[in-house]
Each structure stands twice: as C-alpha cells, then as structure tokens.
Amino acid sequence: MKNIILFGAPGSGKGTQSTALVERYGLRHISTGDILRKEIQAQTELGNKAKELMDKGQLVPDAIIIAMIEELIAKSTEVKGFIFDGFPRTVAQAEALDSMLVRYGQKISSLLELVVPDDVVMQRLLLRKEQEGRSDDNEETITRRLQVYHTQTAPIAAHYAKQNLHHSVDGTGAVEEVTARLFQVVETLA
Ligand code: B4P
C-alpha cells in the first residue's frame, strides 16, 4: 500500500494536487479541511466550533482531528492506500497517525512537501477568495495561518526526515508542472 502525506503551507497546492494523485494511483483521499467544511455546512456542533477556529486561522484541536481520522481509516477496507491532505498538521497528529497505521499493519510511504514561498501562497489564496469566497482566505487570516504553519506544522517535516521519508518538491509553476514533479517522486516509492 502507498500511504502518502501531501504536505505544505496553506495554498501550496495540496488539495489541487491530491486530485491528480488520487486519479493516477487510485488512493483514498482524506482531506481534513474538506471534512471540516462539510461539518460547517451541515451546522453540526463540531462544524460550529471548527468555523470559529478556522476563521481565526487557528487549528482545530488534535483530539477531534485524530478521532475523525481513526474512524475513517477503520472504515476504509480494501483500499490501495491513502493520500493525507492537510493532515497531520501538528507533531502530535503525526505521532498519532504513525501509531494508528501500525495497528493496521501499515506505515507512511512518504511525506511529499510542496515548497512554495509565502508571498506566492498569499497571492493564490487572495485569488481563491475572489473566485470561491472562502471565509478564511482574507489577508489577516492567511497571515495567521502562515504563522501557525511555520510554528506548529513545519516541524512535521523533520519528524519524517528522521525516518528518511521526507521529499521536497518545488510547488511553484503551472499545476501540471507540479503534478509531473510529484509523479516522478511517487514512481520511486516502493
Ligand atoms: P485546508 O482545507 O487544508 O486548506 P489549505 O491549507 O488552505 O490548503 P488547500 O488544500 O485548500 O489549498 P490548495 O493548496 O490546494 O485547511 C483549512 C483550515 O482547516 C485550516 O486553516 C485549519 O483551521 C483547519 N484544519 C484542516 N486540517 C486540520 C488539521 N489536521 N488539524 C487542525 N486543523 C485543521 O490551493 C490553494 C489555491 O491555490 C487554490 O485556489 C488553487 O487553485 C491554487 N493553486 C494550487 N496550485 C497552484 C499552482 N501551481 N499555480 C497557481 N495556483 C495554484
């Protein structure tokens, strides 16, 4: 099984590139951002709590996210592997994911980091605000999300580098160019 973490700053192209990876390799896509946005739309208790935090550019508590992922993995039988998009976002989430996978006789195959400078990310997300109107895509919240990324999320790269599972991929340029770079790395994975 291939279990891939697609990693990077907000707006680095995780959601965009997940679609291409899922199509090519038939992996099960798990996007915590998408799951949370569905909860918000359905106005569940979790959704209301998540909206408050997401609109401030903060992370949803680890315990909630970890329980959500555990349930999804338990339900996903007969899959070729997973593509984790936007998860893990803290080292605690990464450690919980590692132990969860061990319980299912699985492990992470690779963490693919999409490297995109902060100013490019800012431009992309402001453009998405115009196109899709996501409430967390305004300048103040994006700045906060980037701070949270650099302090709480970026250390995850070192966690997987220690296991020789970290690969950096240039996330700038056209979507198709980035996809081609990702495919090149995935082809080298066992
Ligand atoms: P996410 O939904 O994960 O949102 P994101 O980080 O902004 O990235 P996304 O995948 O949507 O965007 P993409 O880079 O593809 O998280 C939202 C919030 O949910 C978080 O801030 C947090 O509060 C909460 N949350 C989610 N997961 C959590 C967790 N595990 N723990 C705690 N809290 C969690 O694309 C961005 C834009 O760039 C798009 O418009 C796209 O079209 C464009 N784009 C992509 N590639 C491009 C390219 N090569 N060139 C030009 N534009 C490009």
Side-chain angles (χ1 to χ4, degrees):
M1 263 171 71
K2 277 192 173 74
N3 297 309
I4 294 172
I5 298 172
L6 198 52
F7 186 73
S12 57
K14 303 181 298 288
T16 308
Q17 297 298 337
S18 289
T19 311
L21 287 166
V22 164
E23 211 169 280
R24 171 100 165 212
Y25 298 103
L27 304 174
R28 169 91 204 269
H29 181 210
I30 297 187
S31 160
T32 40
D34 286 352
I35 298 168
L36 293 170
R37 279 184 289 278
K38 276 190 196 134
E39 295 283 338
I40 292 173
Q41 224 173 3
Q43 298 187 343
T44 62
E45 196 182 327
L46 164 61
N48 294 337
K49 170 86 185 139
K51 181 165 172 45
E52 206 183 304
L53 293 164
M54 286 162 79
D55 282 351
K56 285 193 224 149
Q58 291 171 8
L59 297 178
V60 173
D62 286 340
I64 294 177
I65 299 284
I66 291 165
M68 243 164 54
I69 296 286
E70 175 106 56
E71 200 187 322
L72 274 173
I73 292 182
K75 272 198 230 151
S76 304
T77 49
E78 295 181 27
V79 293
K80 287 185 182 169
F82 295 98
I83 174 125
F84 296 102
D85 160 10
F87 172 86
R89 256 182 161 91
T90 61
V91 172
Q93 290 183 16
E95 287 169 351
L97 174 63
D98 293 348
S99 6
M100 248 181 254
L101 290 176
V102 166
R103 287 204 292 281
Y104 292 95
Q106 294 296 320
K107 65 191 269 303
I108 290 298
S109 316
S110 180
L111 173 140
L112 306 178
E113 178 175 1
L114 290 168
V115 182
V116 181
D118 286 4
D119 58 328
V120 176
V121 155
M122 179 63 84
Q123 284 163 17
R124 285 184 188 176
L125 294 180
L126 290 176
L127 185 67
R128 183 170 69 184
K129 170 86 179 164
E130 280 173 30
Q131 293 165 342
E132 296 175 24
R134 244 173 75 169
S135 59
D136 57 346
D137 281 345
N138 60 75
E139 196 162 348
E140 194 188 333
T141 307
I142 298 165
T143 304
R144 177 75 187 127
R145 284 158 68 194
L146 281 167
Q147 279 165 356
V148 167
Y149 173 74
H150 290 298
T151 53
Q152 298 186 47
T153 306
I156 292 171
H159 172 84
Y160 287 102
K162 274 189 235 150
Q163 304 174 44
N164 282 328
L165 297 174
H166 172 257
H167 293 93
S168 279
V169 174
D170 178 2
T172 62
V175 170
E176 301 72 32
E177 286 169 354
V178 180
T179 305
R181 290 178 203 132
L182 285 169
F183 284 174
Q184 246 178 0
V185 179
V186 175
E187 294 301 327
T188 66
L189 303 177

